[in-house]
Amino acid sequence: DGFTIVDRVYAREGGSTNASCTSVTEHLCITKAGSATSDIIWKGNGTVIIDGQRARQNGVLVEENYQTIDGFIGVNHTLYGAHIDFTRNYVSVLNSTFSDNGSGGTLDSGLFFNASVSARAHNNVLLRNNGYGIHLTNNSTGSRILSNNVVAYNTFNGIYANTTPNPVIINNVAYGNGGGEFGGGILSASTGMVSGNISFGNTGSGLTTGGQSGSTVFMNNISFRNTF
């Protein structure tokens, strides 16, 4: 199944009567599950802007499995540009921009995968979020692949995957992000692969596992002019 939304600007008015969603929590709330053989595809065709106007928490809230979010712009939300809720699995976020979201909380992010199995973020832009650019939290099974994303000028790490086993972080660009010694560009877990990334000009480390020892493979990355 698929849905195409063409040239729309969604501001904070309106809302949902669904029990999982309210007029103050999000704009697009996904409560219909796909299947292992057929994702539900939410595709923006043209300029589709979801603007929280600093009055809603989430631009996109995913409450079911097997979803693809493709081609949205989510701005000015108080928590997350896109929030893949706790253990919602097999979700891909593609070709989207999430900027100026978050309020500096410990989880706030442009794009937040909350303990998601088989999470994928590809070819997204995460800018100026008051929190992380892309944030993955712990799950013990399944794949998590972050590829070809640009993460820049976020308050904390551009990419934070420190509590997620075996992330694959490839061909991303991280610059101008903050967050101290273990903040900065790309923070991976103690296991996983970090390859082909460019990380520069971050206030913190360019590429790190946050001091954890382990078997993470770093190869073919470029990191320069970071604080650490």
Side-chain angles (χ1 to χ4, degrees), residues 38 73 89 94 111 120 144 155 160-161 191 200 213:
S38 180
I73 300 171
N89 303 319
L94 316 174
L111 173 56
R120 181 183 178 215
R144 282 153 292 276
T155 305
Y160 182 95
T191 58
F200 65 94
S213 61

Side-chain angles (χ1 to χ4, degrees), residues 118-130:
S118 295
R120 181 183 178 215
H122 175 74
N123 201 40
N124 301 292
V125 177
L126 293 301
L127 293 175
R128 298 185 306 272
N129 296 289
N130 190 3

Side-chain angles (χ1 to χ4, degrees), residues 38-59:
S38 180
D39 273 15
I40 294 180
I41 300 172
W42 300 83
K43 185 172 179 61
N45 186 1
T47 303
V48 181
I49 301 173
I50 302 174
D51 186 351
Q53 298 185 355
R54 306 304 299 176
R56 288 195 182 179
Q57 295 174 358
N58 308 293

Side-chain angles (χ1 to χ4, degrees), residues 83-103:
H83 178 189
I84 317 309
D85 210 354
F86 184 68
T87 64
R88 272 43 175 197
N89 303 319
Y90 308 101
V91 176
S92 297
V93 181
L94 316 174
N95 308 312
S96 295
T97 297
F98 300 106
S99 66
D100 302 292
N101 301 289
S103 302

